[in-house]
Amino acid sequence: MWGKRTHSNTSVTNLKPATDVNYNCTPVVPRILHLAWYGSKTRPAFRFHHVISVMSSLRFIQPQRIMFWHDEVPIGKWWTFIRQKINKTTTRLLMMQREAPKDIFGRPVTKSEHHSDIVRLEAVINYGGIYHDLDVIVLRPLGKLYCYNTTMGEESRDYLCNGFFMSVANTTFLKLWHDSYHSFDSRLWGYHSVKMPGIIAKRHPGLVHVEKDTIHKPNWQDPGLRQLYDDGVFYNWTARNYAVHLWYRKHNVDYDPESIKRLNKTVGQIFRYIFYGQSHIIR
């Protein structure tokens, strides 16, 4: 599953993701992309990795519209940059202002991450479409995933991560997941965002399609983080990944178009592939 530690010259190869295999099914998930921006009062500026995330979706999802859910509007040069990028496409950007939910089913919600968890789930229930975190990079067209009523990616055994999911509106799986928030406890960090969808999937396996290795692998635990961020260590994201989750909270380094040119690590390959259209080091 895991990529190997390789010599640094691997990074000069211009890698490309695997292409979609032919599939014979009817797409049902609408090309609506949902993004969420909550808890930004402490760091309100859009960052370069956010730009890479949105650029990857413009390229490979080609959404008909982006519904950008927020309590505060992002600021900074990279927010201006990505809005200009979106304006040059056929994608319509809808700014969906919604105050952070203070409670759900009468149970208090205090953390910004939990605000975002609730907003994203309710957005996809109401509209259908694709949600991904702003540190998820889409690497190829989603192909057959449009044909399942609901799709989630496995983070690790028994855990499905809500950093990326796609669905038809009002599916039974999403409604069971949302209904589970009747027992929400803000003290439990990831119970309803990753453990609960895993529990529901095991109880009702026919309600959700699970991608085991193509979205949230490598995961946030070592060796996953080292495969993303260590110099000279490369994860083979071209083999099968629809997307890569960067787990940026664990890294939190700011890059820019110049610094990624010679970034000799997996994240450098991915950033260059999206921003410059080539994965190899740029001299």
Side-chain angles (χ1 to χ4, degrees):
M1 178 188 303
W2 302 110
K4 297 179 180 178
R5 182 177 290 271
T6 59
H7 298 295
S8 60
N9 62 3
T10 302
S11 63
V12 303
T13 304
N14 193 17
L15 301 172
K16 296 181 180 180
T19 57
D20 285 310
V21 297
N22 293 328
Y23 58 97
N24 184 20
C25 60
T26 302
V28 291
V29 176
R31 289 181 186 265
I32 302 170
L33 175 63
H34 300 274
L35 303 172
W37 184 258
Y38 285 84
S40 62
K41 291 182 179 180
T42 56
R43 192 166 187 177
F46 219 62
R47 300 168 67 185
F48 183 68
H49 71 280
H50 300 146
V51 166
I52 296 293
S53 178
V54 179
M55 284 181 64
S56 73
S57 285
L58 290 174
R59 180 174 173 182
F60 293 116
I61 296 176
Q62 298 180 0
Q64 293 175 329
R65 61 182 182 269
I66 296 174
M67 303 182 77
F68 193 94
W69 299 87
H70 64 285
D71 52 357
E72 303 284 340
V73 176
I75 63 172
K77 67 177 183 180
W78 292 120
W79 177 244
T80 301
F81 178 91
I82 199 61
R83 293 202 67 161
Q84 291 172 346
K85 280 280 185 184
I86 295 170
N87 288 340
K88 293 178 181 178
T89 72
T90 58
T91 297
R92 183 183 178 193
L93 176 63
L94 302 177
M95 298 299 294
M96 307 296 291
Q97 200 279 336
R98 177 183 173 183
E99 293 301 317
K102 294 181 174 59
D103 67 87
I104 182 167
F105 299 124
R107 306 185 73 85
V109 182
T110 58
K111 295 182 175 65
S112 60
E113 292 83 3
H114 293 156
H115 296 149
S116 176
D117 289 343
I118 293 166
V119 169
R120 71 186 68 175
L121 178 54
E122 292 179 350
V124 179
I125 288 174
N126 288 328
Y127 296 94
I130 303 144
Y131 170 84
H132 68 68
D133 284 346
L134 283 163
D135 66 344
V136 168
I137 314 300
V138 182
L139 296 172
R140 62 182 170 112
L142 302 180
K144 66 179 182 180
L145 301 187
Y146 288 107
C147 302
Y148 299 105
N149 281 341
T150 303
T151 294
M152 293 194 74
E154 184 178 280
E155 176 184 314
S156 57
R157 184 177 179 181
D158 300 326
Y159 291 82
L160 302 182
C161 182
N162 71 346
F164 176 105
F165 62 101
M166 53 194 296
S167 183
V168 176
N170 293 305
T171 62
T172 300
F173 181 85
L174 294 186
K175 288 189 284 188
L176 287 172
W177 183 8
H178 188 259
D179 192 58
S180 75
Y181 274 83
H182 277 94
S183 64
F184 178 73
D185 185 340
S186 192
R187 295 171 297 180
L188 302 178
W189 173 254
Y191 186 83
H192 281 83
S193 58
V194 294
K195 187 172 183 178
M196 183 55 71
I199 291 172
I200 297 170
K202 287 187 179 299
R203 290 176 180 169
H204 308 281
L207 296 182
V208 60
H209 170 73
V210 176
E211 286 286 315
K212 291 188 175 297
D213 300 312
T214 65
I215 296 169
H216 297 297
K217 302 294 175 66
N219 70 15
W220 60 272
Q221 298 171 309
D222 282 336
L225 284 181
R226 287 186 280 112
Q227 291 176 316
L228 287 171
Y229 295 115
D230 278 11
D231 285 337
V233 180
F234 301 101
Y235 178 78
N236 187 8
W237 51 274
T238 67
R240 55 180 175 262
N241 282 61
Y242 285 107
V244 165
H245 198 156
L246 298 180
W247 316 102
Y248 221 77
R249 176 191 295 273
K250 299 287 186 177
H251 183 63
N252 206 26
V253 174
D254 280 319
Y255 297 106
D256 57 41
E258 188 62 29
S259 64
I260 68 171
K261 288 181 179 179
R262 293 168 294 281
L263 199 60
N264 192 34
K265 53 188 71 177
T266 299
V267 70
Q269 292 179 338
I270 291 170
F271 280 10
R272 287 189 295 270
Y273 180 66
I274 299 302
F275 196 81
Y276 291 113
Q278 59 184 56
S279 61
H280 59 71
I281 283 178
I282 300 171
R283 302 295 181 182

